Amino acid sequence: MEATLTLNYPAPIAAGHEIEVTEFADTRPEKKRSRWYPAWDQPFRHPVILDVTTGIRYMNHMHVHRGDNGGNCFAPNDYPLEPRTDLPVRRVYRARVKACALVMVEGLDQQHTKLVVDVLGPAGPGGPGASGAGGPRGEPEDRRPH
């Protein structure tokens, strides 16, 4: 099954590479889950991508640092190599990249990524992705802005 992932960070992954996608749960109260509170700055809006082929993990600062804007852009930040352990994982699955595009957003001085992938299935038998959560048939949610 084909899926599209839109990320608010650069993830230049070559076509043909296998990736592991970690989606996080939306823990906001139900009344905050509306178009009026899109929460674009929350970890559940953007998955973490592990390029299984190269071993490189792609994340946003919100996945590794709680609060603020993620650090000082003029000095190196000692970020961890994996996401925060306090983020509730919703689902983990494997996919193969079919296409990748990076777009520079001048007003924000950063790159965004669009990945088109073929979903291969849960990330391991009985693993975190085996729960079947997700869209109507367990597929990735479409997280593109409305």
Side-chain angles (χ1 to χ4, degrees):
M1 173 191 62
E2 186 174 283
T4 299
L5 301 172
T6 54
L7 310 171
N8 69 344
Y9 55 87
I13 303 172
H17 282 215
E18 186 173 329
I19 61 173
E20 183 176 280
V21 180
T22 302
E23 296 177 349
F24 300 97
D26 183 353
T27 58
R28 299 176 299 161
E30 194 62 40
K31 66 182 178 182
K32 295 278 188 177
R33 297 179 190 199
S34 72
R35 297 183 79 189
W36 303 107
Y37 301 100
W40 293 116
D41 62 339
Q42 298 299 310
F44 74 88
R45 288 285 181 201
H46 310 282
V48 167
I49 308 295
L50 171 64
D51 184 336
V52 177
T53 307
T54 64
I56 299 172
R57 189 179 316 270
Y58 299 93
M59 303 180 279
N60 186 293
H61 71 87
M62 68 183 80
H63 297 121
V64 295
H65 194 272
R66 182 181 288 282
D68 72 29
N69 68 355
N72 181 339
C73 64
F74 300 106
N77 298 290
D78 188 18
Y79 290 123
L81 297 174
E82 295 185 1
R84 300 180 350 225
T85 57
D86 65 320
L87 295 174
V89 173
R90 180 173 167 269
R91 188 166 72 118
V92 181
Y93 61 93
R94 293 279 177 115
R96 187 161 316 281
V97 176
K98 292 176 68 174
C100 176
L102 274 73
V103 177
M104 182 64 189
V105 184
E106 285 89 4
L108 301 175
D109 263 350
Q110 67 183 36
Q111 288 182 328
H112 287 200
T113 305
K114 178 176 183 174
L115 294 171
V116 178
V117 301
D118 276 329
V119 176
L120 303 175
S131 67
R137 292 179 304 279
E139 69 270 8
E141 275 186 44
D142 184 350
R143 294 176 181 260
R144 291 174 286 183
H146 299 283

